[in-house]
Amino acid sequence: MRTEICDLLDIDLPLLAFSHCRDVVAAVTNAGGFGVLGASSHTPEALEAELAWIDSQVKGRPYGVDIICPETYEGKGQELTDADVVGLVPEEHKAYVLRLLADHDLDAEQFGESLFVMGGRFNDETGARLLEVTLKHPVGLLANALGVPPSFMLEAGRSYNVPVAALVGAKEHAIKQVQAGVDVIVAQGGEAGGHCGDVSTMVLVPEVIEAIKPHRSVPVLAAGGIVTGRQVAASVAMGAAGAWMGSVWLTTEEAETAPYTVEKMLAAGSRDTVRSKGRTGKYSRQLRSDWTDAWEAGLDAPAALPMPLQSVLSEPTLRRIDQLAAKGHPGAQRLATYFVGQGVGLMTRKRPAREVVLEMAEDYLAATERLAGTLG
Ligand SMILES: Cc1cc2nc3c(=O)[nH]c(=O)nc-3n(C[C@H](O)[C@H](O)[C@H](O)COP(=O)(O)O)c2cc1C
């Protein structure tokens, strides 16, 4: 199972795991894959603690860090405080959320200070602070999503000799990334959990590989809907250097996914997700729930706000909903949702992350044997 990404990142298996959970990152890295910690929602102090912990667990094995610096967001170039951003959220939207909660037997008091406050802010300023912390650790990859990485990230990658990866959902974006100097492209299809475009992985991967060929040769990782080794084999058959996966780790024993949401994910089929702007203001795939339905309710729903304003409505509110759902509140349980891809239909039991990696390697082997068998 050796591809060019194994040589670039010094790993045994071309299996990359995006996770916000340090335990998943360490478990995948220790199993021979490559864990990538999603750092965007951390403060610099929290990130420092997480990376120090990962260092102590992986003992020199390689891992990466993903920091989102979106190319576009509301207020870019203006110095808006959190209070300024919250102040930009229209009353109509707040009233809509309050109505939605009331329809689910939830009132503002149950949310206390977690209603209409800043819920995660990704920008160049926070990104630069997180990058500074990251570079004090022996990281083997920097990753960025939602556009071309800022020049400070590309320059840091070059001066610290750390490859920089970028997530793309369209071939035009891949060309832009390669021209900007990115070292690894993650071609992420519309099946993916989290922010994604609408081209499927099966089409996007070969399309991106062909599109960047005339520009520069960089490894392309396939992402979106990949949960099994046979899908990794299919990705490699299409020309990818390996797979980048996010959803499959959400139901592992190490993951910190809210317990009720894990139950929902294990019971969900591949048609139980939706690509919606209702969580962050940009399209992202999530588990379908009364929350996501509310933002897709046609004329009854206000249009989702641009990033980061929609997160003021959703992020802290949904985290509180997770807590209430775990306590058995039926309305909160109907609203509870999280980012997950269509591969959720293949995620049917809770397992250790290491077991997922090893099973993937076995399934990959069986798939390649099947392919070889077709040659007669
Ligand atoms: C819960 C969740 C959160 C995500 N957050 C980020 C993120 O902060 N930065 C990022 O680059 N990608 C993020 N992604 C996308 C993943 O990096 C990855 O591309 C995607 O999960 C691949 O598709 P899959 O979910 O079908 O495996 C997230 C994905 C999930 C499921």
Side-chain angles (χ1 to χ4, degrees), residues 19-34:
S19 176
H20 290 291
C21 172
R22 65 183 190 178
D23 303 70
V24 170
V25 171
V28 172
T29 282
N30 283 335
F34 189 90

Side-chain angles (χ1 to χ4, degrees), residues 18 20 40 66 68 145 167 188 191-194 223-226 244-247 250 338-341:
F18 171 93
H20 290 291
S40 298
D66 179 295
I68 307 184
L167 275 69
Q188 188 200 244
E191 299 95 317
I226 303 172
W244 171 285
M245 296 160 278
S247 295
L250 295 171
Y338 194 47
F339 303 110
V340 75

Side-chain angles (χ1 to χ4, degrees), residues 1-276:
M1 233 182 150
R2 239 193 135 70
T3 69
E4 60 178 318
I5 202 74
C6 299
D7 298 329
L8 181 71
L9 301 179
D10 192 21
I11 49 178
D12 296 331
L13 304 168
L15 306 176
L16 285 85
F18 171 93
S19 176
H20 290 291
C21 172
R22 65 183 190 178
D23 303 70
V24 170
V25 171
V28 172
T29 282
N30 283 335
F34 189 90
V36 180
L37 184 75
S40 298
S41 49
H42 289 79
T43 61
E45 297 72 30
L47 180 61
E48 172 56 38
E50 299 286 81
L51 297 184
W53 184 86
I54 293 172
D55 290 341
S56 74
Q57 300 298 305
V58 300
K59 304 194 171 58
R61 289 189 193 88
Y63 68 93
V65 172
D66 179 295
I67 300 168
I68 307 184
C69 296
E71 237 178 314
T72 57
Y73 53 87
E74 190 75 5
K76 183 158 184 159
Q78 303 166 29
E79 289 190 7
L80 299 182
T81 63
D82 284 359
D84 293 335
V85 175
V86 173
L88 291 173
V89 175
E91 289 307 317
E92 177 204 354
H93 286 71
K94 293 184 188 168
Y96 188 70
V97 170
L98 289 174
R99 253 196 339 268
L100 177 63
L101 296 180
D103 287 348
H104 290 78
D105 298 321
L106 294 162
D107 59 43
E109 264 178 38
Q110 281 160 295
F111 286 78
E113 298 196 343
S114 52
L115 210 51
F116 310 139
V117 290
M118 195 61 226
R121 217 163 158 192
F122 316 135
N123 55 36
D124 285 1
E125 200 183 296
T126 55
R129 285 206 299 269
L130 295 174
L131 184 64
E132 198 185 322
V133 171
T134 300
L135 291 169
K136 291 188 186 136
H137 295 265
V139 290
L141 184 75
L142 298 170
N144 180 62
L146 303 180
V148 173
S151 52
F152 65 79
M153 193 184 287
L154 290 166
E155 279 157 23
R158 273 192 289 275
S159 47
Y160 283 77
N161 203 20
V162 180
V164 178
L167 275 69
V168 303
K171 70 172 186 182
E172 294 79 9
H173 300 163
I175 294 170
K176 249 174 85 181
Q177 298 280 3
V178 167
Q179 287 173 338
V182 156
D183 307 294
V184 177
I185 294 287
V186 180
Q188 188 200 244
E191 299 95 317
H195 293 110
C196 61
D198 57 1
V199 183
S200 72
T201 308
M202 189 79 173
V203 171
L204 185 70
V205 171
E207 209 184 6
V208 162
I209 290 171
E210 285 309 308
I212 62 173
K213 238 183 216 166
H215 300 274
R216 199 156 54 87
S217 164
V218 301
V220 173
L221 296 170
I226 303 172
V227 170
T228 60
R230 65 195 67 186
Q231 291 168 295
V232 180
S235 305
V236 173
M238 289 193 289
W244 171 285
M245 296 160 278
S247 295
V248 69
W249 317 109
L250 295 171
T251 52
T252 57
E253 281 174 8
E254 292 85 348
E256 288 159 357
T257 316
Y260 189 74
T261 306
V262 171
E263 276 180 43
K264 275 188 161 181
M265 286 179 181
L266 293 175
S270 54
R271 298 175 73 198
D272 293 327
T273 70
V274 62
R275 199 173 147 265
S276 159

